[in-house]
Amino acid sequence: MQPFVHLHVHSQYSVLDGQASVKALVDKAIANGMRGIALTDHGNMFGIKELTDYVNKKNKDVDGEIKNLKKTIEELKSADAVDQEALSKAETALKEAESKIFTPIIGCEMYVADNDMTDRSNKKDIGRHLIVLAKNQHGYHNLIKLVSNAWTNGYYYHPRTDKKQLEKYHEDLIVCSACLGGEVPKLITAGHIEEAEKSILWFKKVFGEDYYLELQRHKATVARANQEAYPLQQEVNKVLIEMSKKHNIKLVCTNDVHFVNEEDAEAHDRLICVSTGTFLDDDKRMLYTKQEWMKTQEEMNELFADVPEALSNTQEVLGKVERYSIEHGPILPNFPLPEGFTDNNDYLRHLVLVGAEKRWGKNLTDEQKERIDFELDTIKNMGFPGYFLIVQDFIGAAREIGVSVGPGRGSAAGSAVAYCLGITKIDPIAYDLLFERFLNPDRISLPDIDVDFDDDGRGRVLNWVTEKYGQEKVAHIITYGTMATKLAIKDVARVQKLPLSESDRLCKLVPDKIPDKKMNLPNAIAYVPELQAAEVSPDPILRDTIKYAKMLEGNVRNTGVHACGTIICRDDITDWVPVSTADDKETGEKMLVTQYEGSVIEDTGLIKMDFLGLKTLSIIKECQANIYDSLGFDIDVDALDITDPATYRLYCDGRTIGTFQFESPGMQKYLRELQPSTFEDLIAMNALYRPGPMDYIPDFIDRKQGRKPVEYDIPCMEKYLKDTYGITVYQEQVMLLSRQLADFTRGESDTLRKAMGKKLIEKLNHMY
């Protein structure tokens, strides 16, 4: 049997066309003994980061084995007397281990315009298919450029590239002639053999030995399938084999994979109906051959037994692909320094000291000086001074152009540097807030400062950032919308013409949550008897609705834009990750969007900053304007007295409608019981009023009201628990107590906090 790997594969990131998860594709390939797989989604690289992450996870044990064997070989070679037998065994074991590595081939099935990709005058020129694969890191970056430019400059029904672009970025790329939608196959089926030959020779001239002619055989075996494709493929294959011999261009065979297993064909058929807005029984709708499953090596060998070189050449392609990482250390934007400064660290220290004098006065306490020095040293050692300079810069710009900025949220409020720079407005020393929650000095991790702006002003700040750093260096972050349980039922029900009333009934049967189980259709069926009955109903349409909704649930259905995440890069974004475009709802213009989602984007080195729009800030801003209009004076919100008795009376009465995080009926009830009298009372209630900690609220109230004694397990704990009446409310209290009681370092106390929050028992036991 000839070894074979798939080079033409569509996952669910070929949105509403592919019905295969990346993990399922990789798992099947590995189980079948394949040594790699290409991912070639239509016009995009959405799934590439997921592919590389999952394959790296699969390779982890083998990589560990390889590392140990290499170390053993080095030690054997450096010994005074080399044990040749042991060395030979270790080298053999190393080769065996390396042969187990599974290789992800990063690719894309691109659309190539007939002419210039920027020309949109020909409605028929929506692009012809071409498989493009990266051989190495340089090829990966060239592929990024091609795919990104196809979106930003060539989009016309599809993201299109052209031959000028292919020639410009051809280095370290492998291309295959693709399916019946490719340029060469289309010319052949149209009878233009000479033009097809010219096209083949152009690709050979540009890509040389890295150009392959692609054979496919999708012979439909069921009546309700595309019967026309196979005869055309046979016609194309005949010419391709002739051209291969005539021009010495190698053949590869592929299967146009769109789903994982043969039994997934019917679910995929329904997905295509969802995509095209048609019904299952529509005689004129799009049909696939239903042969587009990920065939095994055995199945592909049987299918292409007469051209064994087309099978083995897929292995040749795999052999050309190097192992490389698409991850990178933080790529911070360049912050333009003012005259007189040449170093980010020096300028940051200067701004912090100026800000410290404004915040705390000229005579800083030893604690304040020590805190500033510690934070600045940590920031310098981690290489993040530029990050703080950029954030304080756009926050300062926001205030200058009249945009309201929030006082700070999250762990950034624990930074004295952020406070002195005006990024936050809360004194972290006064409230025992800790910098280590924000940046752990024992472990480098990217800072994450969430900044609130009033709803109307957020867009203005983003425009300012884009103008300052350049349109090519600023991008939003993509999100993927998936078919949730109810949506999967509705989609399948519609294409199968299940009555709307029945579709609605099924959706209403799906619970909002299931105790101790993940919310999905299989678990919902097990939980709800009526759904169980629908699954085995004698009505085939009802039964199939449940069956195929289960199979399509979780499939990517659309893309969106992250509500607040924004990338600011040192270089053009497309130097590092692929981008697509989306419509800006505020301006109607196209904006850049990364093709990798927010949870993984920072692994590639790009720095994510969150620009949040907060309605509360808009309300406060409007109130200030109304007061000025009616009473003629300005209210400085930052200068309001937080001990104002009249305000506390409102809280004690539970009159908190419109007050952020204090307006729910449950919170109002507890406020009336608590009768808060200090700002610390309000802070504690805000922290306690969430699942889990809510159980402590009655005890907290009883201690506040004197109905229960305020007790401390150890007397010295009073220092940090006094304001919360002996109850540990905040993560900072855990950290401070661990230092006081167990002599933990700053970094260790943060590790303890995270382990407790995530219930990492092994980590906690290790620290104990």
Side-chain angles (χ1 to χ4, degrees), residues 423-475:
I423 293 172
T424 60
K425 298 178 183 177
I426 299 96
D427 184 345
I429 295 175
Y431 290 101
D432 287 332
L433 302 177
L434 302 180
F435 179 71
E436 301 78 63
R437 273 200 65 184
F438 177 52
L439 288 179
N440 187 329
D442 293 349
R443 187 190 70 253
I444 291 182
S445 58
L446 285 171
D448 184 14
I449 300 177
D450 297 339
V451 186
D452 292 314
F453 302 99
D454 67 75
D455 279 334
D456 297 331
R458 176 180 174 272
R460 292 163 60 200
V461 178
L462 285 172
N463 288 339
W464 184 91
V465 168
T466 303
E467 286 178 17
K468 174 154 188 170
Y469 292 97
Q471 197 165 15
E472 299 79 15
K473 296 178 173 63
V474 178

Side-chain angles (χ1 to χ4, degrees), residues 333-471:
N334 291 319
F335 181 79
L337 295 172
E339 192 174 338
F341 292 92
T342 57
D343 181 82
N344 281 348
N345 295 293
D346 292 341
Y347 186 52
L348 180 63
R349 178 173 284 275
H350 165 74
L351 290 180
V352 169
L353 292 178
V354 170
E357 185 175 324
K358 290 179 181 177
R359 295 291 197 186
W360 293 319
K362 288 186 177 180
N363 299 316
L364 301 183
T365 66
D366 290 342
E367 184 180 12
Q368 289 166 343
K369 290 177 185 175
E370 181 187 342
R371 179 68 170 264
I372 287 173
D373 287 340
F374 164 69
E375 291 192 17
L376 286 173
D377 285 345
T378 303
I379 292 166
K380 179 181 178 180
N381 293 335
M382 288 186 171
F384 296 142
Y387 180 92
F388 284 83
L389 291 173
I390 290 164
V391 175
Q392 65 83 31
D393 187 43
F394 66 67
I395 285 178
R399 292 187 175 121
E400 283 182 14
I401 61 176
V403 176
S404 294
V405 184
R409 69 157 76 204
S411 60
S415 170
V417 165
Y419 178 59
C420 293
L421 291 173
I423 293 172
T424 60
K425 298 178 183 177
I426 299 96
D427 184 345
I429 295 175
Y431 290 101
D432 287 332
L433 302 177
L434 302 180
F435 179 71
E436 301 78 63
R437 273 200 65 184
F438 177 52
L439 288 179
N440 187 329
D442 293 349
R443 187 190 70 253
I444 291 182
S445 58
L446 285 171
D448 184 14
I449 300 177
D450 297 339
V451 186
D452 292 314
F453 302 99
D454 67 75
D455 279 334
D456 297 331
R458 176 180 174 272
R460 292 163 60 200
V461 178
L462 285 172
N463 288 339
W464 184 91
V465 168
T466 303
E467 286 178 17
K468 174 154 188 170
Y469 292 97
Q471 197 165 15

Side-chain angles (χ1 to χ4, degrees), residues 213-229:
L213 297 172
E214 187 173 343
L215 309 178
Q216 291 186 345
R217 289 173 177 168
H218 297 162
K219 187 175 183 180
T221 57
V222 295
R224 189 70 169 140
N226 185 333
Q227 308 291 333
E228 292 79 33

Side-chain angles (χ1 to χ4, degrees), residues 598-618:
S599 64
V600 298
I601 193 69
E602 290 184 339
D603 294 341
T604 66
L606 299 190
I607 305 298
K608 176 172 73 74
M609 298 185 184
D610 286 334
F611 293 70
L612 299 102
L614 189 62
K615 185 180 179 182
T616 300
L617 287 175
S618 298

Side-chain angles (χ1 to χ4, degrees), residues 153-419:
N153 297 316
Y155 197 96
Y156 187 58
Y157 294 98
H158 302 293
R160 303 175 308 159
T161 189
D162 59 30
K163 287 185 175 177
K164 286 183 290 185
Q165 288 278 301
L166 289 170
E167 195 163 12
K168 181 178 179 180
Y169 294 108
H170 75 278
E171 290 182 2
D172 293 316
L173 293 177
I174 299 166
V175 296
C176 305
S177 56
C179 54
L180 289 175
E183 178 178 333
V184 173
K186 274 197 166 190
L187 289 169
I188 293 171
T189 55
H192 304 312
I193 307 302
E194 288 185 12
E195 284 188 51
E197 188 169 16
K198 285 181 184 177
S199 177
I200 287 169
L201 291 173
W202 184 89
F203 280 106
K204 183 183 179 183
K205 181 189 74 168
V206 175
F207 293 97
E209 295 295 315
D210 292 326
Y211 176 56
Y212 293 84
L213 297 172
E214 187 173 343
L215 309 178
Q216 291 186 345
R217 289 173 177 168
H218 297 162
K219 187 175 183 180
T221 57
V222 295
R224 189 70 169 140
N226 185 333
Q227 308 291 333
E228 292 79 33
Y230 182 67
L232 292 174
Q233 287 173 338
Q234 289 292 75
E235 178 188 340
V236 169
N237 290 347
K238 181 182 176 183
V239 177
L240 291 180
I241 291 170
E242 290 172 1
M243 294 291 180
S244 168
K245 293 173 181 175
K246 182 177 179 180
H247 297 295
N248 194 28
I249 300 172
K250 292 179 179 177
L251 300 166
V252 289
C253 57
T254 69
N255 207 65
D256 194 357
V257 176
H258 281 71
F259 42 94
V260 181
N261 299 306
E262 185 174 6
E263 55 268 26
D264 298 329
E266 293 303 324
H268 178 258
D269 197 32
R270 284 152 178 80
L271 182 71
I272 298 305
C273 290
V274 173
S275 174
T276 55
T278 54
F279 296 111
L280 197 65
D281 61 2
D282 188 340
D283 291 334
K284 296 181 180 179
R285 70 178 176 83
M286 179 193 293
L287 288 171
Y288 275 67
T289 65
K290 300 189 179 177
Q291 292 291 307
E292 291 83 9
W293 73 88
M294 188 175 162
K295 292 185 168 72
T296 63
Q297 293 190 80
E298 293 78 9
E299 287 171 320
M300 291 300 288
N301 267 261
E302 182 179 349
L303 201 54
F304 290 95
D306 56 320
V307 276
E309 68 273 19
L311 292 155
S312 60
N313 285 338
T314 64
Q315 199 72 15
E316 177 184 287
V317 170
L318 180 69
K320 291 181 177 182
V321 177
E322 299 173 10
R323 287 194 76 192
Y324 59 95
S325 174
I326 67 173
E327 298 191 354
H328 198 280
I331 306 165
L332 282 162
N334 291 319
F335 181 79
L337 295 172
E339 192 174 338
F341 292 92
T342 57
D343 181 82
N344 281 348
N345 295 293
D346 292 341
Y347 186 52
L348 180 63
R349 178 173 284 275
H350 165 74
L351 290 180
V352 169
L353 292 178
V354 170
E357 185 175 324
K358 290 179 181 177
R359 295 291 197 186
W360 293 319
K362 288 186 177 180
N363 299 316
L364 301 183
T365 66
D366 290 342
E367 184 180 12
Q368 289 166 343
K369 290 177 185 175
E370 181 187 342
R371 179 68 170 264
I372 287 173
D373 287 340
F374 164 69
E375 291 192 17
L376 286 173
D377 285 345
T378 303
I379 292 166
K380 179 181 178 180
N381 293 335
M382 288 186 171
F384 296 142
Y387 180 92
F388 284 83
L389 291 173
I390 290 164
V391 175
Q392 65 83 31
D393 187 43
F394 66 67
I395 285 178
R399 292 187 175 121
E400 283 182 14
I401 61 176
V403 176
S404 294
V405 184
R409 69 157 76 204
S411 60
S415 170
V417 165
Y419 178 59

